Amino acid sequence: MSDTNSELAATAEIRARIDTTTPHSARFWNYFVGGKDNYEVDREIGEQIKEIFPGLVDVALTSRLFLGRAVRHLVAEHGIRQFLDVGTGLPTADNTHEVAQRVAPDARIVYVDNDPIVLAHAGALLTSTPEGRTAYLDADLYDPDAVLEAAAGTLDFSRPIALIILNTLGHVADHDQARDLVRRLVAGLPSGSHLVISDSTATSEGMIAASNAYNASGATPYHVRSVEEIAGFFEGLDLLAPGVVRVTEWRPEAGTPSAPAVDAYCGVGRKP
């Protein structure tokens, strides 16, 4: 079989794994940030959630803006040139590699996801500057050792790496297990590496109601946590100022309009 035929067969196999009858977190989030890679079932639950808690749209949009600020800061102020983005989700505007390589064209980025819909769109992620490199891994957060081993094919583990886990850890129902998965990933990174996390939080009745409605839709459940639980992911790391705060409060850019007080917290920590 030719390479082209093999690629077509692989794409067909991936698409066959995509369930369009139940809502999907990556497609649902894609709809909220204005993307086009979603189905009617995702838009339906999206509209229901908007009626229950319109603020979730702000969470989606401001969390994306936090990603850009965090990546730019790590590249410009800490010299980070390597990123491991776990739980990639669907590509939209200003993906990690685009933000990083605008500042440092030689930056290397590895995206990690095990979702068929994300894999089907991986080609949109696999772009890079000539000086840098971008790769996509079909791998699982629940297997940190395999993630780190595969990422070593692109990233240099003798140099600092920024581990990015945005709006993903809520899929791990047990908090202790989520902390252990983060700990194992960070343990495999060299000194001077950074951890970047943001997640929706159980900080309002509206967010809790939205989470319950989403989980009742048949989609893979997403568990919102307390601010203290989000802070716990950074145990043993040196938190960059301003610490664990709302995503709108992490180093807002001068001259930008005031952002809403969203139910999503974030932080960036450095491994000693």
Side-chain angles (χ1 to χ4, degrees), residues 31-213:
Y31 173 61
F32 266 20
V33 298
K36 301 183 183 301
D37 298 314
N38 47 74
Y39 295 98
E40 183 62 29
V41 67
D42 309 301
R43 296 187 285 272
E44 287 177 358
I45 187 62
E47 290 301 315
Q48 292 175 28
I49 295 297
K50 285 182 184 179
E51 292 181 7
I52 296 170
F53 183 54
L56 193 57
V57 176
D58 292 328
V59 168
L61 295 173
T62 57
S63 295
R64 194 73 184 177
L65 293 174
F66 160 69
L67 169 65
R69 296 197 305 276
V71 169
R72 284 191 294 272
H73 179 75
L74 290 176
V75 173
E77 302 298 328
H78 296 269
I80 299 297
R81 296 294 184 270
Q82 303 188 106
F83 295 84
L84 179 58
D85 190 332
V86 178
T88 301
L90 288 164
T92 54
D94 287 337
N95 299 289
T96 300
H97 74 283
E98 294 170 323
V99 176
Q101 291 179 347
R102 281 192 206 116
V103 184
D106 62 336
R108 293 188 169 205
I109 296 87
V110 171
Y111 292 104
V112 178
D113 211 299
N114 71 330
D115 195 288
I117 185 106
V118 176
L119 182 60
H121 290 79
L125 291 173
L126 294 176
T127 58
S128 177
T129 57
E131 305 94 328
R133 188 173 174 189
T134 304
Y136 176 85
L137 301 180
D138 184 9
D140 197 326
L141 170 66
Y142 288 93
D143 193 352
D145 295 337
V147 169
L148 294 169
E149 181 180 357
T154 300
L155 305 179
D156 178 0
F157 275 70
S158 69
R159 298 169 54 225
I161 296 168
L163 170 63
I164 298 176
I165 314 176
L166 266 56
N167 306 302
T168 297
L169 291 167
H171 285 304
V172 183
D174 183 80
H175 180 59
D176 288 338
Q177 183 182 21
R179 285 187 64 170
D180 182 62
L181 292 171
V182 172
R183 179 191 60 78
R184 290 167 62 190
L185 285 167
V186 172
L189 304 179
S191 175
S193 293
H194 289 72
L195 172 66
V196 182
I197 285 178
S198 74
D199 240 321
S200 301
T201 48
T203 43
S204 75
E205 292 183 1
M207 174 58 86
I208 294 170
S211 176
N212 290 338

Side-chain angles (χ1 to χ4, degrees), residues 248-262:
T248 51
E249 298 169 355
W250 199 91
R251 297 178 179 269
E253 295 172 343
T256 56
S258 298
V262 297

